[in-house]
Amino acid sequence: MLLSHLLHHVVRRGSLRVIDAGGAMHTFSGDPGPQITIRLHTRALEWQLFLHPRLKLGEAFMNGTLTVEDASIYDFLDLMASNMAVAPANVLTPLYNGFGRAFRVFQQYNPLHRARRNVAHHYDLSDTLYELFLDADRQYSCAYFAAPDQTIEQAQANKKRHIAAKLLLAPGQHVLDIGCGWGGLALYLAKECGVSVTGLTLSTEQLRVAERRAAAAGLSDRVRFELRDYRETNGRYDRIVSVGMFEHVGVVHYPEFFGKVKELLADDGVALLHSIGRQDGPASTNPWLRKYIFPGGYSPAMSEVVPVVERSGLWITDIEILRLHYAETLRAWRTRFNANRERIRALYDERFCRMWEFYLAGSEMAFRHQGHLNFQMQFAKKIDAVPLTRDYMVDWERSHRASAAERAA
């Protein structure tokens, strides 16, 4: 089996047993650890996984030509990702990683028409789907776990509070929310901080839900949502925030993005960017994820972002790295997704369920074993736009946490 050459190199901890299409068992093992068995149902899959494992593994699981016999796909991906994190490079490494790097400029080219199409691919799915695995506020980005036993609802409330503290808000200010999702953060800022918010989305489904939520909360006079790309936006804003949208911009468009932020931001304004990133330097998006989940998407290394910000003339006034917070967020989403699997299967089909199970489990592995992280980067035009120390963030967050606890009691 051609695939054996790759697996002998990768598996250093635990044991992987592979049943090939002819029924023969192949065992790959190292130090003590988990034991997982998978079955390959076609002979073609054996060489497909050897030549293009980053794409073909997910496709095979989706299509049922690869099954995990004695565990879950999560357990299998955990075994493989933890081994790959420590496996030395070999002659095949450029084959698996090099082509993506070579063509990533084209893969991440996101003009307006393509950006709209890419967003619709993922965010214009059934409204019920997102209700079945997200928190009640539909926060579809990294939560902030202040304690390991917190629920996803608590952790997402923490995230909104954490971001608001960094925006240094005052009543009456106007905030631009680039990539507003279903409107949860915009509604929180308007209600808690007395500001007005303009939220931008390219998803018609998100726009519909966000507008409905603003009306139900009695905030339509202070929160407005628009089906608009950030490049089409004009005006001046006291504060700009973008959460979970930068991953859809693409490296080639970073100068355009930060140039627009600078144009839209008031002279004494503050902006905050919350994005997925990577610890191991510039790379390319996993081809399966790019094809089936986030076309045009890319999670950048800090070394790809900071030079562009420097050239834009904006000050970077604060950076925070969130490491395992997204792994815990994805764990909570995956648990809820699996608990509602029958309802999701009724919305779509079993193949869709396997696709999303692979997406959620694989994404968690990226944050646990493969150098993915989240960063929050604060910007300003002026050197003195924010206080000299971070105390203002901590003080604001603590006071509003206490107020929320009093209201809950």
Side-chain angles (χ1 to χ4, degrees), residues 299-317:
S299 302
M302 295 289 289
S303 59
E304 297 175 287
V305 179
V306 172
V308 183
V309 180
E310 291 173 346
R311 291 192 292 271
S312 77
L314 289 166
W315 275 91
I316 298 177
T317 48

mmCIF file with all atom_site columns, all heavy atoms in Angstrom, residues 299-317:
data_model
loop_
_atom_site.group_PDB
_atom_site.id
_atom_site.type_symbol
_atom_site.label_atom_id
_atom_site.label_alt_id
_atom_site.label_comp_id
_atom_site.label_asym_id
_atom_site.label_entity_id
_atom_site.label_seq_id
_atom_site.pdbx_PDB_ins_code
_atom_site.Cartn_x
_atom_site.Cartn_y
_atom_site.Cartn_z
_atom_site.occupancy
_atom_site.B_iso_or_equiv
_atom_site.pdbx_formal_charge
_atom_site.auth_seq_id
_atom_site.auth_comp_id
_atom_site.auth_asym_id
_atom_site.auth_atom_id
_atom_site.pdbx_PDB_model_num
ATOM 1   N N   . SER A 1 299 ? -6.201 32.377 7.013  1.00 0.00 ? 299 SER A N   1
ATOM 2   C CA  . SER A 1 299 ? -5.850 32.872 8.349  1.00 0.00 ? 299 SER A CA  1
ATOM 3   C C   . SER A 1 299 ? -4.386 33.288 8.329  1.00 0.00 ? 299 SER A C   1
ATOM 4   O O   . SER A 1 299 ? -3.507 32.441 8.135  1.00 0.00 ? 299 SER A O   1
ATOM 5   C CB  . SER A 1 299 ? -6.073 31.774 9.399  1.00 0.00 ? 299 SER A CB  1
ATOM 6   O OG  . SER A 1 299 ? -7.416 31.331 9.372  1.00 0.00 ? 299 SER A OG  1
ATOM 7   N N   . PRO A 1 300 ? -4.085 34.569 8.526  1.00 0.00 ? 300 PRO A N   1
ATOM 8   C CA  . PRO A 1 300 ? -2.727 35.055 8.281  1.00 0.00 ? 300 PRO A CA  1
ATOM 9   C C   . PRO A 1 300 ? -1.787 34.879 9.468  1.00 0.00 ? 300 PRO A C   1
ATOM 10  O O   . PRO A 1 300 ? -2.208 34.774 10.622 1.00 0.00 ? 300 PRO A O   1
ATOM 11  C CB  . PRO A 1 300 ? -2.956 36.544 8.025  1.00 0.00 ? 300 PRO A CB  1
ATOM 12  C CG  . PRO A 1 300 ? -4.123 36.879 8.918  1.00 0.00 ? 300 PRO A CG  1
ATOM 13  C CD  . PRO A 1 300 ? -5.019 35.656 8.853  1.00 0.00 ? 300 PRO A CD  1
ATOM 14  N N   . ALA A 1 301 ? -0.505 34.885 9.175  1.00 0.00 ? 301 ALA A N   1
ATOM 15  C CA  . ALA A 1 301 ? 0.517  35.043 10.206 1.00 0.00 ? 301 ALA A CA  1
ATOM 16  C C   . ALA A 1 301 ? 0.629  36.529 10.540 1.00 0.00 ? 301 ALA A C   1
ATOM 17  O O   . ALA A 1 301 ? 0.352  37.394 9.704  1.00 0.00 ? 301 ALA A O   1
ATOM 18  C CB  . ALA A 1 301 ? 1.859  34.514 9.709  1.00 0.00 ? 301 ALA A CB  1
ATOM 19  N N   . MET A 1 302 ? 1.030  36.822 11.775 1.00 0.00 ? 302 MET A N   1
ATOM 20  C CA  . MET A 1 302 ? 1.195  38.218 12.173 1.00 0.00 ? 302 MET A CA  1
ATOM 21  C C   . MET A 1 302 ? 2.205  38.931 11.267 1.00 0.00 ? 302 MET A C   1
ATOM 22  O O   . MET A 1 302 ? 2.082  40.125 11.003 1.00 0.00 ? 302 MET A O   1
ATOM 23  C CB  . MET A 1 302 ? 1.654  38.287 13.626 1.00 0.00 ? 302 MET A CB  1
ATOM 24  C CG  . MET A 1 302 ? 0.648  37.757 14.625 1.00 0.00 ? 302 MET A CG  1
ATOM 25  S SD  . MET A 1 302 ? -0.781 38.838 14.811 1.00 0.00 ? 302 MET A SD  1
ATOM 26  C CE  . MET A 1 302 ? -0.034 40.209 15.665 1.00 0.00 ? 302 MET A CE  1
ATOM 27  N N   . SER A 1 303 ? 3.201  38.186 10.800 1.00 0.00 ? 303 SER A N   1
ATOM 28  C CA  . SER A 1 303 ? 4.225  38.781 9.949  1.00 0.00 ? 303 SER A CA  1
ATOM 29  C C   . SER A 1 303 ? 3.674  39.233 8.606  1.00 0.00 ? 303 SER A C   1
ATOM 30  O O   . SER A 1 303 ? 4.321  40.009 7.895  1.00 0.00 ? 303 SER A O   1
ATOM 31  C CB  . SER A 1 303 ? 5.364  37.779 9.726  1.00 0.00 ? 303 SER A CB  1
ATOM 32  O OG  . SER A 1 303 ? 4.888  36.589 9.122  1.00 0.00 ? 303 SER A OG  1
ATOM 33  N N   . GLU A 1 304 ? 2.480  38.771 8.248  1.00 0.00 ? 304 GLU A N   1
ATOM 34  C CA  . GLU A 1 304 ? 1.835  39.219 7.013  1.00 0.00 ? 304 GLU A CA  1
ATOM 35  C C   . GLU A 1 304 ? 0.941  40.429 7.246  1.00 0.00 ? 304 GLU A C   1
ATOM 36  O O   . GLU A 1 304 ? 0.588  41.128 6.290  1.00 0.00 ? 304 GLU A O   1
ATOM 37  C CB  . GLU A 1 304 ? 0.996  38.081 6.427  1.00 0.00 ? 304 GLU A CB  1
ATOM 38  C CG  . GLU A 1 304 ? 1.805  36.869 6.013  1.00 0.00 ? 304 GLU A CG  1
ATOM 39  C CD  . GLU A 1 304 ? 0.926  35.721 5.548  1.00 0.00 ? 304 GLU A CD  1
ATOM 40  O OE1 . GLU A 1 304 ? 0.281  35.088 6.407  1.00 0.00 ? 304 GLU A OE1 1
ATOM 41  O OE2 . GLU A 1 304 ? 0.898  35.446 4.336  1.00 0.00 ? 304 GLU A OE2 1
ATOM 42  N N   . VAL A 1 305 ? 0.574  40.668 8.486  1.00 0.00 ? 305 VAL A N   1
ATOM 43  C CA  . VAL A 1 305 ? -0.363 41.744 8.809  1.00 0.00 ? 305 VAL A CA  1
ATOM 44  C C   . VAL A 1 305 ? 0.369  43.005 9.253  1.00 0.00 ? 305 VAL A C   1
ATOM 45  O O   . VAL A 1 305 ? 0.105  44.108 8.758  1.00 0.00 ? 305 VAL A O   1
ATOM 46  C CB  . VAL A 1 305 ? -1.348 41.292 9.910  1.00 0.00 ? 305 VAL A CB  1
ATOM 47  C CG1 . VAL A 1 305 ? -2.308 42.419 10.278 1.00 0.00 ? 305 VAL A CG1 1
ATOM 48  C CG2 . VAL A 1 305 ? -2.112 40.059 9.467  1.00 0.00 ? 305 VAL A CG2 1
ATOM 49  N N   . VAL A 1 306 ? 1.312  42.849 10.180 1.00 0.00 ? 306 VAL A N   1
ATOM 50  C CA  . VAL A 1 306 ? 1.959  44.017 10.783 1.00 0.00 ? 306 VAL A CA  1
ATOM 51  C C   . VAL A 1 306 ? 2.654  44.906 9.752  1.00 0.00 ? 306 VAL A C   1
ATOM 52  O O   . VAL A 1 306 ? 2.498  46.140 9.795  1.00 0.00 ? 306 VAL A O   1
ATOM 53  C CB  . VAL A 1 306 ? 2.937  43.571 11.896 1.00 0.00 ? 306 VAL A CB  1
ATOM 54  C CG1 . VAL A 1 306 ? 3.766  44.753 12.385 1.00 0.00 ? 306 VAL A CG1 1
ATOM 55  C CG2 . VAL A 1 306 ? 2.164  42.949 13.055 1.00 0.00 ? 306 VAL A CG2 1
ATOM 56  N N   . PRO A 1 307 ? 3.412  44.368 8.789  1.00 0.00 ? 307 PRO A N   1
ATOM 57  C CA  . PRO A 1 307 ? 4.035  45.270 7.810  1.00 0.00 ? 307 PRO A CA  1
ATOM 58  C C   . PRO A 1 307 ? 3.035  46.098 7.010  1.00 0.00 ? 307 PRO A C   1
ATOM 59  O O   . PRO A 1 307 ? 3.320  47.257 6.674  1.00 0.00 ? 307 PRO A O   1
ATOM 60  C CB  . PRO A 1 307 ? 4.803  44.299 6.896  1.00 0.00 ? 307 PRO A CB  1
ATOM 61  C CG  . PRO A 1 307 ? 5.056  43.100 7.735  1.00 0.00 ? 307 PRO A CG  1
ATOM 62  C CD  . PRO A 1 307 ? 3.832  42.969 8.593  1.00 0.00 ? 307 PRO A CD  1
ATOM 63  N N   . VAL A 1 308 ? 1.876  45.534 6.714  1.00 0.00 ? 308 VAL A N   1
ATOM 64  C CA  . VAL A 1 308 ? 0.861  46.276 5.960  1.00 0.00 ? 308 VAL A CA  1
ATOM 65  C C   . VAL A 1 308 ? 0.290  47.403 6.819  1.00 0.00 ? 308 VAL A C   1
ATOM 66  O O   . VAL A 1 308 ? 0.067  48.515 6.340  1.00 0.00 ? 308 VAL A O   1
ATOM 67  C CB  . VAL A 1 308 ? -0.266 45.338 5.484  1.00 0.00 ? 308 VAL A CB  1
ATOM 68  C CG1 . VAL A 1 308 ? -1.282 46.107 4.642  1.00 0.00 ? 308 VAL A CG1 1
ATOM 69  C CG2 . VAL A 1 308 ? 0.310  44.182 4.677  1.00 0.00 ? 308 VAL A CG2 1
ATOM 70  N N   . VAL A 1 309 ? 0.067  47.120 8.108  1.00 0.00 ? 309 VAL A N   1
ATOM 71  C CA  . VAL A 1 309 ? -0.415 48.160 9.010  1.00 0.00 ? 309 VAL A CA  1
ATOM 72  C C   . VAL A 1 309 ? 0.616  49.282 9.113  1.00 0.00 ? 309 VAL A C   1
ATOM 73  O O   . VAL A 1 309 ? 0.278  50.475 9.089  1.00 0.00 ? 309 VAL A O   1
ATOM 74  C CB  . VAL A 1 309 ? -0.720 47.578 10.403 1.00 0.00 ? 309 VAL A CB  1
ATOM 75  C CG1 . VAL A 1 309 ? -1.219 48.678 11.339 1.00 0.00 ? 309 VAL A CG1 1
ATOM 76  C CG2 . VAL A 1 309 ? -1.748 46.469 10.313 1.00 0.00 ? 309 VAL A CG2 1
ATOM 77  N N   . GLU A 1 310 ? 1.880  48.919 9.216  1.00 0.00 ? 310 GLU A N   1
ATOM 78  C CA  . GLU A 1 310 ? 2.941  49.931 9.296  1.00 0.00 ? 310 GLU A CA  1
ATOM 79  C C   . GLU A 1 310 ? 2.928  50.839 8.078  1.00 0.00 ? 310 GLU A C   1
ATOM 80  O O   . GLU A 1 310 ? 3.033  52.067 8.201  1.00 0.00 ? 310 GLU A O   1
ATOM 81  C CB  . GLU A 1 310 ? 4.296  49.242 9.423  1.00 0.00 ? 310 GLU A CB  1
ATOM 82  C CG  . GLU A 1 310 ? 4.504  48.525 10.751 1.00 0.00 ? 310 GLU A CG  1
ATOM 83  C CD  . GLU A 1 310 ? 5.786  47.700 10.771 1.00 0.00 ? 310 GLU A CD  1
ATOM 84  O OE1 . GLU A 1 310 ? 6.369  47.481 9.680  1.00 0.00 ? 310 GLU A OE1 1
ATOM 85  O OE2 . GLU A 1 310 ? 6.192  47.260 11.865 1.00 0.00 ? 310 GLU A OE2 1
ATOM 86  N N   . ARG A 1 311 ? 2.773  50.248 6.908  1.00 0.00 ? 311 ARG A N   1
ATOM 87  C CA  . ARG A 1 311 ? 2.773  51.052 5.675  1.00 0.00 ? 311 ARG A CA  1
ATOM 88  C C   . ARG A 1 311 ? 1.523  51.913 5.554  1.00 0.00 ? 311 ARG A C   1
ATOM 89  O O   . ARG A 1 311 ? 1.535  52.938 4.876  1.00 0.00 ? 311 ARG A O   1
ATOM 90  C CB  . ARG A 1 311 ? 2.912  50.133 4.458  1.00 0.00 ? 311 ARG A CB  1
ATOM 91  C CG  . ARG A 1 311 ? 4.290  49.481 4.342  1.00 0.00 ? 311 ARG A CG  1
ATOM 92  C CD  . ARG A 1 311 ? 4.471  48.828 2.974  1.00 0.00 ? 311 ARG A CD  1
ATOM 93  N NE  . ARG A 1 311 ? 3.610  47.667 2.790  1.00 0.00 ? 311 ARG A NE  1
ATOM 94  C CZ  . ARG A 1 311 ? 3.948  46.434 3.118  1.00 0.00 ? 311 ARG A CZ  1
ATOM 95  N NH1 . ARG A 1 311 ? 5.120  46.184 3.686  1.00 0.00 ? 311 ARG A NH1 1
ATOM 96  N NH2 . ARG A 1 311 ? 3.115  45.425 2.880  1.00 0.00 ? 311 ARG A NH2 1
ATOM 97  N N   . SER A 1 312 ? 0.435  51.504 6.209  1.00 0.00 ? 312 SER A N   1
ATOM 98  C CA  . SER A 1 312 ? -0.800 52.289 6.141  1.00 0.00 ? 312 SER A CA  1
ATOM 99  C C   . SER A 1 312 ? -0.718 53.581 6.953  1.00 0.00 ? 312 SER A C   1
ATOM 100 O O   . SER A 1 312 ? -1.502 54.498 6.738  1.00 0.00 ? 312 SER A O   1
ATOM 101 C CB  . SER A 1 312 ? -1.979 51.451 6.660  1.00 0.00 ? 312 SER A CB  1
ATOM 102 O OG  . SER A 1 312 ? -1.968 51.375 8.085  1.00 0.00 ? 312 SER A OG  1
ATOM 103 N N   . GLY A 1 313 ? 0.212  53.639 7.900  1.00 0.00 ? 313 GLY A N   1
ATOM 104 C CA  . GLY A 1 313 ? 0.321  54.813 8.759  1.00 0.00 ? 313 GLY A CA  1
ATOM 105 C C   . GLY A 1 313 ? -0.479 54.730 10.035 1.00 0.00 ? 313 GLY A C   1
ATOM 106 O O   . GLY A 1 313 ? -0.457 55.660 10.848 1.00 0.00 ? 313 GLY A O   1
ATOM 107 N N   . LEU A 1 314 ? -1.184 53.613 10.269 1.00 0.00 ? 314 LEU A N   1
ATOM 108 C CA  . LEU A 1 314 ? -1.913 53.436 11.527 1.00 0.00 ? 314 LEU A CA  1
ATOM 109 C C   . LEU A 1 314 ? -0.958 53.009 12.634 1.00 0.00 ? 314 LEU A C   1
ATOM 110 O O   . LEU A 1 314 ? 0.020  52.304 12.402 1.00 0.00 ? 314 LEU A O   1
ATOM 111 C CB  . LEU A 1 314 ? -2.995 52.356 11.356 1.00 0.00 ? 314 LEU A CB  1
ATOM 112 C CG  . LEU A 1 314 ? -4.208 52.714 10.493 1.00 0.00 ? 314 LEU A CG  1
ATOM 113 C CD1 . LEU A 1 314 ? -4.993 51.465 10.148 1.00 0.00 ? 314 LEU A CD1 1
ATOM 114 C CD2 . LEU A 1 314 ? -5.099 53.731 11.195 1.00 0.00 ? 314 LEU A CD2 1
ATOM 115 N N   . TRP A 1 315 ? -1.269 53.445 13.855 1.00 0.00 ? 315 TRP A N   1
ATOM 116 C CA  . TRP A 1 315 ? -0.550 52.966 15.034 1.00 0.00 ? 315 TRP A CA  1
ATOM 117 C C   . TRP A 1 315 ? -1.156 51.644 15.506 1.00 0.00 ? 315 TRP A C   1
ATOM 118 O O   . TRP A 1 315 ? -2.377 51.528 15.624 1.00 0.00 ? 315 TRP A O   1
ATOM 119 C CB  . TRP A 1 315 ? -0.672 53.979 16.185 1.00 0.00 ? 315 TRP A CB  1
ATOM 120 C CG  . TRP A 1 315 ? 0.351  55.071 16.120 1.00 0.00 ? 315 TRP A CG  1
ATOM 121 C CD1 . TRP A 1 315 ? 0.231  56.280 15.495 1.00 0.00 ? 315 TRP A CD1 1
ATOM 122 C CD2 . TRP A 1 315 ? 1.644  55.045 16.719 1.00 0.00 ? 315 TRP A CD2 1
ATOM 123 N NE1 . TRP A 1 315 ? 1.358  57.016 15.661 1.00 0.00 ? 315 TRP A NE1 1
ATOM 124 C CE2 . TRP A 1 315 ? 2.254  56.292 16.419 1.00 0.00 ? 315 TRP A CE2 1
ATOM 125 C CE3 . TRP A 1 315 ? 2.343  54.110 17.486 1.00 0.00 ? 315 TRP A CE3 1
ATOM 126 C CZ2 . TRP A 1 315 ? 3.548  56.619 16.856 1.00 0.00 ? 315 TRP A CZ2 1
ATOM 127 C CZ3 . TRP A 1 315 ? 3.617  54.429 17.913 1.00 0.00 ? 315 TRP A CZ3 1
ATOM 128 C CH2 . TRP A 1 315 ? 4.212  55.663 17.605 1.00 0.00 ? 315 TRP A CH2 1
ATOM 129 N N   . ILE A 1 316 ? -0.321 50.666 15.780 1.00 0.00 ? 316 ILE A N   1
ATOM 130 C CA  . ILE A 1 316 ? -0.780 49.479 16.504 1.00 0.00 ? 316 ILE A CA  1
ATOM 131 C C   . ILE A 1 316 ? -0.609 49.793 17.984 1.00 0.00 ? 316 ILE A C   1
ATOM 132 O O   . ILE A 1 316 ? 0.505  49.927 18.479 1.00 0.00 ? 316 ILE A O   1
ATOM 133 C CB  . ILE A 1 316 ? 0.024  48.230 16.128 1.00 0.00 ? 316 ILE A CB  1
ATOM 134 C CG1 . ILE A 1 316 ? -0.144 47.921 14.642 1.00 0.00 ? 316 ILE A CG1 1
ATOM 135 C CG2 . ILE A 1 316 ? -0.438 47.036 16.971 1.00 0.00 ? 316 ILE A CG2 1
ATOM 136 C CD1 . ILE A 1 316 ? 0.676  46.731 14.171 1.00 0.00 ? 316 ILE A CD1 1
ATOM 137 N N   . THR A 1 317 ? -1.728 49.925 18.689 1.00 0.00 ? 317 THR A N   1
ATOM 138 C CA  . THR A 1 317 ? -1.681 50.368 20.084 1.00 0.00 ? 317 THR A CA  1
ATOM 139 C C   . THR A 1 317 ? -1.851 49.240 21.088 1.00 0.00 ? 317 THR A C   1
ATOM 140 O O   . THR A 1 317 ? -1.647 49.440 22.286 1.00 0.00 ? 317 THR A O   1
ATOM 141 C CB  . THR A 1 317 ? -2.761 51.441 20.328 1.00 0.00 ? 317 THR A CB  1
ATOM 142 O OG1 . THR A 1 317 ? -4.008 50.989 19.782 1.00 0.00 ? 317 THR A OG1 1
ATOM 143 C CG2 . THR A 1 317 ? -2.389 52.749 19.652 1.00 0.00 ? 317 THR A CG2 1
#
